[in-house]
Structure formats: C-alpha cells, structure tokens
Amino acid sequence: MGTKKLYDDHPYETEFEAKVLTITSSGEEKGWNVVLDQTLFFPEEGGQTPDRGSLVIGGITYEVEDVSIQDGIITHQIRSEQAKEPEGETAKGRILWSHRYSNMQNHTGEHIFSGLVHAAKGYDNVGFHLSDHIVTMDYNGVLTEEEIQAFTAKANEVIAANLPVICAYPADEELAKMEYRSKKEVEGAVRIVTISGVDCCACCAPHVRTTAEVGLLMVVGSQNYKGGTRLSILCGQRAVEDYRKKHAMLSLVGRQLSTNWENIFQTVDKLKSERDNFKYRSAQLSAKLLEIEAKELSGERDVCLFTDCNDRNVLQRVVNKMKEEHSGISVIFSRKESDGAEEYTYVASSLTKDCRLFSEKLKKIFQAKGGGKSEMVQGSVVASKETLENCVKNLNIL
Ligand SMILES: [Zn+2]
C-alpha cells in the first residue's frame, strides 16, 4: 500500500504526525530515506518541485532536502550523522507554507491558462514545469503575441470571477463519461481538478480553493519551441513581486531619461537615432583626423597610426598614401568596439616589403588573425597600443 497523501484532502494544512515505517541509507554521504505511513509533503511529480520543510524524529529536527515518489511510496530525504532506528516512532512534519502556497497559486494558474488555450485552440500543454521561480508550459501549437495577450486577459477574468477549484476522485463510470485534459495515461485512481466552464484536468498536485487566490497571472516569456510555443508565467505573489521589480526599474530608467514610463520607448528610440548620428559624425571626423595624422608622420621606415575610424575604404585609402611616403611597412590599427581587452583590426601595406612577414609576426607574438598578399595584409589583433607600437618600431623586415 502506498503512502497516504494528506495533501490531497488537506492542502491548506502545514503540520502533521505520522508513523515512521522505515529509515534507510540513501547511498549519499549522511543521506537517509524516511518513509512514513502518511505525509503532507508533496513529492516531485508531474513537473512540479517538491515541498520543503522539516521532520522531527526522536526529538531531532531534520531539514527535508528532497521528496520523491515511486510506486505510490513517498520518500523524504534527510541528512544525519548517524543512522537512527526509530522505526515505529512518531514523526512530526511541517511544510514550508510560503513555498507550498506559491506552488498552489502557480499550478492553478497554469490550469486556468491551459484550459482556456485548450478550449479555444485545441492545444495541449505537453511540457509543464513548475520550478521555485517560474512556470513553463509547452503548447503543441503556435500562439501569436495577440493571442497570448488575449488569453492572459481572459485568465485574469477567470481569476477575478472567484470560481471554485474542485479536486476529486470520480468513480470509474463517472470518469468514463468525463472529458478531461491529461498529460499522460494515469494509473490507478484518477484525480480530476475542475474549474467549472474553464478547465477539467487530471492532476495529482495541491491547488488553491478558488481562482481568486491565484491573484494575478502574467506571461513573462514566450518562444517558439518544437513547432509550438513555450510560455513562462508567474502567478500570485511571484507575479506581484515581478511587477514591483519591473515598476521600480521602469521608474529608475524614467528618472534617468527625465520622462515618465509611458514615454520611455519613444525617448530611447530618439536617443538611439541621436547616437547613430553622433557615431556617423564621429566616424567622419576620425577619418579626417587619420588623413591629417598620416600627412604629419615623420619619414621613418616602418610606421603605424592608431584610429577609431573603422571604415575599410578610408583605412585602405590612407594606408596606400602612407606607403608612398615611407620606405618600410605602413600600418593602421583601428580600435574595435569591445567591452573586454584592447582589440584592433589592422591593415598594412608596402611598396617594397612583403607584408605577409608582418602578418606572420603578429600571429607569432599575439596570436593575431589575418593575412593577405605581399603588398597588403589585413586582420585583427588583441594587444595594447604600446606593445603594438613597439612591435612596428622594431620590425626590421628586410
Ligand atoms: Zn496540474
């Protein structure tokens, strides 16, 4: 016989007493598996994470680290220095209510949303996962952004309607006549969770009593997934907390931009186009500056310039002018836009020397990339301005 699931009939209770049936090693260091005759701990099952809480056995309190179910037997994992043998003793259990209630709110929220999607589109949630932070649902059909928004609004109407959420084990003949959603073939007695007019689904998890307790349902992510749509939702306190954080962030950004949150998008859009204009102007100025610097370079053999200009045509034009004035290799290093190490693209040209030797040298010293022809090479290199300057100064390619 399996463990009696107290959470089935008493999802709002947090404390219970049970008889310890067995305590055996879990195989992990100091790990023990505790089996009781009954429990309030919901195990990891049907895509939902297990309850958290503690067990008191023989006067000692143990944190319950995991709860699993196999063949109807629920196992609580605890950690202890030594094996106790209190079998037959009474254990006192306490589940962490905030965690349980959050799971109940989010799970009922999923039923509401999936029930609405199933009724309107015929899609099933084929990959449900309820973690401690987020709920993901994988629908076997595509939902557009407009549909997602419409289902979200409808789900929140169902929540506000305060409909009863009924969990029951119907008799076989009654069950045979029922139409209900089911993720897989359920063995043994089938528990059906019904929200009248919204959803009917086979489910083993604890739920809230009425839809109003879900509080709020928000879709916070959507992506194409295996030919369908994967959605992430938050319900209850999780949704409220998410709203609070996002509101605080929007207010902060609004303050930075001296606007209210409704105008943030337009303000950022304007700033982006201003930035693009500045970038364009700056690139033009960099190109002009580069040409001036190239003219002013003293007549050494091997010469190099550093620039922010990254217009390939400008770089090639200037380096071609430089090689007319200098007998060795002429190089321009153009700073790349990157957050990390100093990185440059380079272009080198010469009338008399083999530029490939320069490229090889950069590869050898800095593991640079690139190559080309004898008269011109291009590539990229990660190194500081100073070391690159020294490298060109001491080039001596004959
Ligand atoms: Zn369910």
Side-chain angles (χ1 to χ4, degrees), residues 107 110-111 183 203 207:
H107 202 134
E110 182 271 325
H111 278 226
K183 282 181 216 53
C203 181
H207 283 264

Side-chain angles (χ1 to χ4, degrees), residues 151-196:
F151 283 124
T152 305
K154 186 87 184 103
N156 282 293
E157 281 172 23
V158 171
I159 289 167
N162 198 19
L163 303 175
V165 181
I166 313 283
C167 304
Y169 288 92
D172 286 351
E173 56 273 22
E174 203 184 330
L175 192 68
K177 285 185 252 159
M178 289 177 87
E179 263 193 40
Y180 59 92
R181 297 189 297 117
S182 176
K183 282 181 216 53
K184 55 177 183 185
E185 280 304 311
V186 189
E187 285 173 26
V190 180
R191 186 169 178 268
I192 298 289
V193 179
T194 308
I195 303 166
S196 183

